[in-house]
Amino acid sequence: MKSLLNLKLNNLRILCLLSLLISISACANFDTTQTGRSIGKNNMSYSGSFNFRAFDKSDISLDSDSILPFSAQARLYYGLNDNFDIGLSINSSSLMTLHSKYQIIGSKNSFYAASIGADIGCATLSTFLTKTSAYTGSFRIYNSFHLNDKFGVTFHPAYIYFAKSQNSNKLGGPYDRYANIYGLSSAVFYGKSFKVFLETSYFGSFNNDVIKLRPSLSIGFSYDFEYNNR
């Protein structure tokens, strides 16, 4: 009986910890792990990243001056044609995002490549665990400079709209927050089909009383491969 009670308490602690991590990290995607090139028709790209981000206490309604939370993200892209990719991603705060990316400058072998991208997403798991609803939409310009066939740098300015609602009094609510976020992400990467990224991002908000963001650092990778549906 005692062991069963301890097991239930341990499961409850794990659930509470998971809920806390989701509630303090429920936010838009800032890192990209992308270049300005599209992946090409019938090709696929899988990528993942781990992000370290500093917050101001006003972002998460905690009493501490600041914390350094983390987030992880997984993405899958598919090339509908030579210049247009679509993708789906989910991060550790349960934010699921639908991506699109269209290459407008350069080729698969050019020194410089640029694409425009639009994303839309919403929180999934956090809606049930922490009574937190979150929605986001973004517009990005992906730029990359390929110094050789393996090494390059990226520069991605972006605009992000983020809305978050908290309905639980126990988690700092109820409240509604809306933010127009702007900033950029920049990275160095190495590799061809398999790339490793080291990316830094900095975003701010027009309404700084709602959200204050500090620089973040991401470590990520992407793997591009041909999709054969036969």
Side-chain angles (χ1 to χ4, degrees), residues 83-206:
N83 293 318
F84 184 57
D85 304 336
I86 59 171
L88 185 68
S89 71
I90 187 166
N91 67 12
S92 55
S93 61
S94 81
L95 187 72
M96 184 172 290
T97 305
L98 180 65
H99 304 269
S100 64
K101 176 180 168 184
Y102 186 80
Q103 186 172 348
I104 56 174
I105 298 176
S107 67
K108 304 300 178 289
N109 300 307
S110 60
F111 168 73
Y112 170 66
S115 297
I116 55 175
D119 312 326
I120 186 170
C122 65
T124 53
L125 190 61
S126 63
T127 304
F128 303 99
L129 289 181
T130 64
K131 296 183 179 180
T132 302
S133 300
Y135 305 91
T136 181
S138 67
F139 177 80
R140 304 174 192 264
I141 302 176
Y142 300 97
N143 302 275
S144 59
F145 299 87
H146 302 258
L147 306 182
N148 56 44
D149 60 349
K150 288 187 176 181
F151 180 73
V153 296
T154 68
F155 179 78
H156 307 326
Y159 162 77
I160 302 171
Y161 174 77
F162 181 68
K164 182 178 178 182
S165 296
Q166 173 56 257
N167 300 317
S168 174
N169 291 324
K170 296 180 180 180
L171 295 173
Y175 63 77
D176 294 297
R177 291 176 180 169
Y178 307 92
N180 294 289
I181 303 168
Y182 61 93
L184 58 91
S185 300
S186 184
V188 294
F189 65 89
Y190 180 81
K192 294 183 70 174
S193 294
F194 181 83
K195 301 181 184 66
V196 178
F197 290 78
L198 181 63
E199 186 172 60
T200 182
S201 300
Y202 185 81
F203 285 83
S205 174
F206 293 109

Side-chain angles (χ1 to χ4, degrees), residues 34-45 76-88 98-103 108 115-119 142 224:
Q34 291 287 314
T35 72
R37 294 175 176 174
S38 60
I39 57 176
K41 186 176 181 179
N42 291 333
N43 289 337
M44 297 186 73
S45 177
L76 186 65
Y77 276 81
Y78 174 74
L80 287 179
N81 59 42
D82 286 339
N83 293 318
F84 184 57
D85 304 336
I86 59 171
L88 185 68
L98 180 65
H99 304 269
S100 64
K101 176 180 168 184
Y102 186 80
Q103 186 172 348
K108 304 300 178 289
S115 297
I116 55 175
D119 312 326
Y142 300 97
D224 302 339

